[in-house]
Each structure stands twice: as C-alpha cells, then as structure tokens.
Amino acid sequence: MNRIKKIFSNQQTVVVVALVLICLVFSLMTPKFMQVSTFTNIAKSCYYIAFMAIGVTFVIATGGIDLSIGTVAICSALIGGVFMEKGCPMILVLLIMLLVGLLFGLFNGILVSKLGLPAFIATLGSMMISRGLGSIISKTKTISFPQGDEPGAWFRELFMVTREGGILPKNFPTGFIIVAVLGIIMALVLNKMKVGRYILAIGSNKEATRLSGIRVQNYEITAYVISGLFAALAGIAYVAVYSTAQPNTGNGFELDAIAGVVIGGTSLSGGVGSIFGTIIGVFIMAVLKIGFPYIGVQSHYQLFITGFILIFAVFMDIINRRRKAMNK
C-alpha cells in the first residue's frame, strides 16, 4: 500500500495513467477512436502546442511565466512568410522565424531579469507587441505557405508525410519524432546540465542561488530565450500542418501550453520541472479535443474539463510541497 501511495505521489506517473485511462474510455465508447487517422489527428493538433510547452517549461521552472509564446509563434510565421513571398529560400525563411522567436525571448528575459518587471506584465506586453508586429509587417493579410509540389514545400515533410511512394506512408506524423527527440534533449538539458540545474535552483530559491555566486540574471534570460525559440519552432510546425498564418491569431495557444506544463507536473512556484510530464500533459488535452466529437460531445467541453484537470494538478502540487516541507 505504501509503495502504491509513493508511486501515485509522483505527478508524472499520475498523468501517464490518466492518458491511458482517457484513451481506454474513448475506445470503449466508440470503435472509431481506435483508428490510425484518429491518432494522426491527435499528433497534428498538438505539435505546435507541444513545442511551446517544452520551451515555457524552462520559464515556469524559474517561477516565471511567458504569456507571449502563442502570438510570438504566429508573428514569427507571418514575418517569415513575408520574406518567403519576397523570394527568400525556405531554409532562410525558417532561420528568420527562429531568429524572431529568439529576439522576443531575449526581449522578455531582459525585461524580467535586468529591468525587474513582473513576468506577467512583461510577457503580456510582448504578447500585444508580437501580435501587432505580425499584423503590421504582413499588412493584415493571411500568409499561405507552399503545399504539394510547390517550391519550398519540403519543410512540411518534417512534420507530416504529404506524398505517397516514400519510405513512410502518406500522412505519417513525422513531427511526433521531432517532438520526442527534442523532448529527450531538453529533458537532459533541464535535469542533467548545469544550465538546467541552475534554472531549477532559481525557481527553488532565487536569493540563495544568487548568494551562491550563480549569475541568476543570465540564466533567467536563457530560460526566456529557450521559450522564444520553441515558440518560433511552434510557428513552423503550425504552418507546416495548417499551411496558413493569419494575423490577430495565436491568443489562447499559450494557455493550452501552460496548462500542459502544469498538468505534467511542473510547479507554477518554480523549482520543479518535467519535460516528459509536459508532453504527456499536452497529449491529454489533444486526446480530449479529438475524442469528444467521436462520442457526440462538442469539443469546447474540453475547456470545461481541462479547467478542472488544471485545478486538480495545481492542488496536487500544493499537497506534494506541503508533504515535502513536513518531512524536512
């Protein structure tokens, strides 16, 4: 009994069990759920959220927040799309998109760490700036990215096989492989490398970390830069799957990403982070979003249920923190 309690006191274990149970419930309620096309749609719907969630995990682990990741993703896609329409090769377009994300991440990091602005206010401002900038540069028009055999459409194959006759079947979600590989790399960065350990230390006790001689400001900025880069990567994944980027969109993406991070076991108070849990949390929300229509429930009920799941996840984090404090 004690062993079972110990296992389920780990939030990452709980979310894995929850994901399996949710899939099992949907499969029992309708045989249509257990189809290849269903899991392809689940993968497609969560690529860009997963990338944003991986990046913002680092920020939340410091005890901060980044509300700009959704609009930065779309802003980077719009700016890259404008360069694409001017004749830039696609590889350069993708690099420009990543640069936009990096610059916004650096901007957020400087505002929070160097200038001392509250993360909520700083990134809320960046959300508005990035949303406006994307609209200004694109002149409020929708940007369409190459499809099929059009020049430059090759980048879409990184996230979804769109042609027949290759090694992998058509519509195979290759982006899942990228999510998994980057997830493993960033998990090692967060938990095994110096930069990750210092980021977690900042979230646990910022002042103690500073007094120990660690350059807290530099590592805080690094966390926001990582978040910005992964937001831009999310923008690339978004246009690869959906082909277009529209101005004045992206609001709300950050909420799904942050919810996935918290559900996956990263503490909003900082000091605790799990990339594996983050990815599982994102997949839970994607399964709910895709699964509800199969059983005749409108997908917006996902918001209702996700809200309760999020509250439960935060409650579990509070309980675990109190338990650890009592055991010290």
Side-chain angles (χ1 to χ4, degrees):
M1 183 62 71
N2 288 334
R3 182 176 296 178
I4 294 175
K5 287 182 178 180
K6 185 176 181 180
I7 291 174
F8 281 91
S9 65
N10 186 312
Q11 193 164 332
Q12 285 78 51
T13 303
V14 174
V15 293
V16 171
V17 173
L19 178 60
V20 173
L21 290 176
I22 291 169
C23 291
L24 181 61
V25 169
F26 279 130
S27 63
L28 291 175
M29 295 184 71
T30 172
K32 294 181 180 179
F33 183 78
M34 295 300 291
Q35 295 177 349
V36 174
S37 60
T38 300
F39 292 98
T40 298
N41 289 333
I42 290 171
K44 286 171 60 178
S45 69
C46 71
Y47 286 158
Y48 62 101
I49 301 296
F51 288 129
M52 282 189 285
I54 290 172
V56 82
T57 297
F58 285 79
V59 172
I60 294 175
T62 67
I65 198 74
D66 189 348
L67 300 177
S68 68
I69 50 177
T71 51
V72 167
I74 298 301
C75 178
S76 66
L78 289 169
I79 293 175
V82 169
F83 278 92
M84 176 194 69
E85 292 182 339
K86 292 182 180 297
C88 285
M90 186 54 66
I91 185 64
L92 181 58
V93 169
L94 300 182
L95 291 174
I96 289 170
M97 291 171 67
L98 291 174
L99 178 61
V100 171
L102 184 151
L103 291 176
F104 268 105
L106 181 62
F107 179 64
N108 286 334
I110 291 173
L111 290 179
V112 173
S113 186
K114 297 290 186 181
L115 301 183
L117 270 66
F120 181 90
I121 299 300
T123 58
L124 181 62
S126 292
M127 175 201 291
M128 297 175 182
I129 292 170
S130 57
R131 187 175 180 182
L133 183 63
S135 296
I136 291 168
I137 293 180
S138 66
K139 298 180 180 178
T140 68
K141 69 176 183 178
T142 298
I143 304 292
S144 297
F145 283 75
Q147 301 182 54
D149 295 325
E150 296 176 359
W154 58 266
F155 85 101
R156 301 188 69 202
E157 300 290 325
L158 298 173
F159 300 94
M160 181 68 62
V161 177
T162 60
R163 301 167 184 168
E164 295 181 348
I167 298 176
L168 298 173
K170 186 177 180 180
N171 294 326
F172 183 84
T174 48
F176 178 78
I177 299 173
I178 298 177
V179 171
V181 170
L182 288 180
I184 292 171
I185 292 172
M186 299 315 291
L188 292 174
V189 171
L190 183 63
N191 297 303
K192 300 298 182 181
M193 295 182 65
K194 180 175 70 175
V195 59
R197 292 198 299 270
Y198 287 170
I199 283 172
L200 291 172
I202 291 169
S204 294
N205 193 320
K206 185 174 181 178
E207 185 61 20
T209 304
R210 185 185 66 81
L211 292 174
S212 66
I214 296 171
R215 296 180 178 178
V216 168
Q217 291 184 342
N218 291 350
Y219 288 100
E220 273 190 315
I221 292 174
T222 299
Y224 282 96
V225 167
I226 291 171
S227 182
L229 278 171
F230 272 84
L233 185 57
I236 295 173
Y238 184 86
V239 295
V241 172
Y242 298 107
S243 303
T244 61
Q246 296 179 325
N248 297 321
T249 58
N251 274 355
F253 291 175
E254 72 284 346
L255 299 181
D256 289 338
I258 292 170
V261 173
V262 176
I263 290 170
T266 298
S267 174
L268 283 172
S269 301
V272 177
S274 169
I275 300 297
F276 174 73
T278 289
I279 294 174
I280 298 299
V282 170
F283 268 90
I284 285 176
M285 294 189 298
V287 169
L288 291 174
K289 180 179 179 180
I290 300 298
F292 277 141
Y294 280 99
I295 60 175
V297 178
Q298 293 180 338
S299 60
H300 58 248
Y301 279 90
Q302 177 207 3
L303 295 174
F304 181 80
I305 294 177
T306 301
F308 278 103
I309 294 174
L310 182 59
I311 291 171
F312 178 72
V314 174
F315 179 72
M316 281 190 62
D317 176 57
I318 292 172
I319 295 298
N320 286 334
R321 281 181 172 270
R322 287 176 179 173
R323 184 184 296 118
K324 289 177 181 179
M326 291 175 64
N327 291 334
K328 288 182 178 180

